Amino acid sequence: MRRGSWKIRIFIGLAIVAFAFIQKCSNTEKNPYTGRSQHITMTSDQEIAIGLQSAPEMAQQHGGLYPDQQLQSFVASVGNKLVQNSIAKETPYQYNFHLLADEQTINAFALPGGQCFITYALFSQLNEAQLAGVLGHEIAHVIGRHSAERIADSQTWQTATMGATVGAGDMGSIVGSIGQNTLLKNGRGDELESDELGVLFMIQSGYDPYEMINVMKILKAAGGPNRTPEFQNTHPDPENRIEKIKDAIEKYKN
Ligand SMILES: [Zn+2]
């Protein structure tokens, strides 16, 4: 191999890494609903399309929709009340609230663009205000565009990792692990942002925001072998979340 070729390889590698970050900066925009600057590579229409497209598959993974139409309507009415009384109403997203048949897994989640889900296992443990807390938290994931942000981040890291791999074999895994950590760190931020907005939406709809603390206690008690994804190690410590929720209540009440 010629002496100069590794230099060219490193140069190309660095150029690809630089490209990834320049692209990231040029795709940074301020979220008009949260005020936070974030890296996004898709439009709200694309978010809605992705959410609608993946909703049936997500529902299927949790045994489909719960068959009782009255309970479905109740979940939808609580969700829609939160939308109508908050900034969610001003967003382009299409909110739908679904009760999933799954009676084993305590879970709730939101797809980009407004499709929100709660399992029967979690729903059955909540009163109306606590349900509002969970749905408010999920609405906040949609408004915060957290899925779109995670997707954009992983695209950046894929490009950067490719650049580093071209530059030098070993560097690839180092950059890869930085990417992982970045995703995890942002994940914690997503949960705290959603908890805070969830508290705000509860207050705006006339629900007792302290019930959000009880939601955390219910989720914590449900921990153990079948821990809910809201409490995996990628997420903030429950006690830490409760402290931040108390701060949010102080900030928004009155
Ligand atoms: Zn969450």
Side-chain angles (χ1 to χ4, degrees):
M1 195 184 272
R2 280 188 301 124
R3 208 178 130 71
S5 71
W6 65 271
K7 285 186 184 167
I8 293 167
R9 222 167 51 148
I10 285 181
F11 176 78
I12 293 169
L14 287 175
I16 293 172
V17 172
F19 171 76
F21 286 96
I22 290 165
Q23 202 183 35
K24 173 168 178 157
C25 293
S26 68
N27 286 324
T28 296
E29 54 186 87
K30 192 171 179 178
N31 186 314
Y33 313 111
T34 63
R36 192 166 59 81
S37 286
Q38 55 189 166
H39 170 217
I40 298 278
T41 51
M42 64 176 78
T43 64
S44 47
D45 282 346
Q46 286 172 316
E47 289 177 273
I48 293 167
I50 288 172
L52 287 172
Q53 211 169 23
S54 38
E57 196 189 320
M58 295 303 291
Q60 221 42 58
Q61 281 176 22
H62 291 276
L65 297 179
Y66 194 79
D68 186 326
Q69 206 45 53
Q70 265 186 322
L71 287 185
Q72 291 289 351
S73 304
F74 173 66
V75 170
S77 71
V78 172
N80 289 329
K81 187 172 172 182
L82 293 162
V83 171
Q84 290 306 316
N85 289 295
S86 71
I87 190 132
K89 198 180 156 194
E90 325 280 322
T91 67
Y93 300 119
Q94 300 172 11
Y95 298 92
N96 290 116
F97 301 92
H98 311 278
L99 178 60
L100 297 166
D102 193 334
E103 295 184 17
Q104 309 297 326
T105 322
I106 299 229
N107 200 7
F109 55 91
L111 295 174
Q115 301 301 308
C116 300
F117 299 83
I118 181 168
T119 61
Y120 185 79
L122 177 55
F123 170 82
S124 61
Q125 298 205 27
L126 306 176
N127 64 29
E128 182 177 338
Q130 291 161 352
L131 173 65
V134 170
L135 296 181
H137 174 101
E138 299 310 327
I139 292 168
H141 278 309
V142 174
I143 292 175
R145 308 185 77 185
H146 296 151
S147 294
E149 205 174 358
R150 295 291 76 73
I151 292 165
D153 278 346
S154 73
Q155 285 166 342
T156 297
W157 284 107
Q158 271 168 19
T159 311
T161 306
M162 186 177 83
T165 310
V166 170
D170 290 7
M171 269 281 285
S173 57
I174 296 167
V175 175
S177 70
I178 295 169
Q180 270 276 312
N181 288 338
T182 304
L183 290 177
L184 298 184
K185 197 160 124 198
N186 289 339
R188 291 190 185 92
D190 292 348
E191 294 313 316
L192 296 178
E193 182 172 86
S194 297
D195 285 346
E196 179 174 336
L197 285 174
V199 163
L200 174 62
F201 299 161
M202 289 175 88
I203 293 170
Q204 288 172 332
S205 289
Y207 290 111
D208 177 4
Y210 288 95
E211 290 289 1
M212 187 68 115
I213 293 170
N214 291 329
V215 169
M216 293 300 135
K217 289 177 179 166
I218 289 166
L219 289 174
K220 194 180 169 188
N226 255 336
R227 291 167 78 87
T228 148
E230 293 283 14
F231 276 85
Q232 281 166 358
N233 54 9
T234 57
H235 291 81
D237 177 71
E239 296 305 327
N240 183 18
R241 279 178 85 174
I242 288 173
E243 283 313 304
K244 299 275 190 206
I245 288 166
K246 284 179 183 164
D247 292 347
I249 294 170
E250 284 305 308
K251 182 171 162 187
Y252 292 123
K253 75 175 184 190
N254 306 319

